[in-house]
């Protein structure tokens, strides 16, 4: 899973053009939105599109499970691992 965590962190940095952040700066279990990394809803859309493109998963923002999956790098990795 550590490899997937790193892949997701790299994807976040690349998809959202976070030039001043490295993979080491993103905590695996820290929140991605508001607290933690501080992403917003536009970032969520861009990240969702990047995940769809890289992993072939379609994500729905209406789904409560999906909102939980986007909580942190760890929860996102668990979702990707379970659904690819």
């Amino acid at each position: 899973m550590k490899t997937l965590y790193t892949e997701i962190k790299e994807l976040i940095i690349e998809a959202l053009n976070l030039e001043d952040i490295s993979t080491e700066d993103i905590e695996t279990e820290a929140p991605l939105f508001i607290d933690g990394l501080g992403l917003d809803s536009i970032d969520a859309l861009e990240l969702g599109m990047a995940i769809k493109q890289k992993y072939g998963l379609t994500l729905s923002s209406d789904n409560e499970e999906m909102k939980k999956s986007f909580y942190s790098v760890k929860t996102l990795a668990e979702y990707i691992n379970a659904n690819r």
Side-chain angles (χ1 to χ4, degrees):
M1 281 291 266
K2 287 187 178 190
T3 302
L4 185 55
Y5 294 156
T6 302
E7 277 182 24
I8 292 169
K9 291 175 183 183
E10 290 171 350
L11 185 65
I12 290 169
I13 292 167
E14 183 181 319
L16 305 179
N17 298 317
L18 303 177
E19 298 168 355
D20 298 336
I21 295 180
S22 70
T23 56
E24 293 81 27
D25 295 330
I26 301 174
E27 295 179 36
T28 302
E29 296 188 36
L32 293 175
F33 299 90
I34 303 167
D35 299 329
L37 197 53
L39 303 181
D40 61 23
S41 59
I42 301 298
D43 295 326
L45 290 172
E46 291 178 11
L47 182 56
M49 290 188 315
I51 289 170
K52 179 179 180 177
Q53 189 172 29
K54 182 167 180 103
Y55 298 104
L57 298 175
T58 302
L59 311 172
S60 170
S61 62
D62 298 336
N63 185 330
E64 193 62 35
E65 178 186 339
M66 188 55 51
K67 290 177 185 176
K68 291 178 185 176
S69 297
F70 264 71
Y71 177 76
S72 68
V73 169
K74 181 181 181 200
T75 57
L76 201 48
E78 289 168 352
Y79 178 82
I80 290 169
N81 197 42
N83 292 285
R84 62 173 163 168

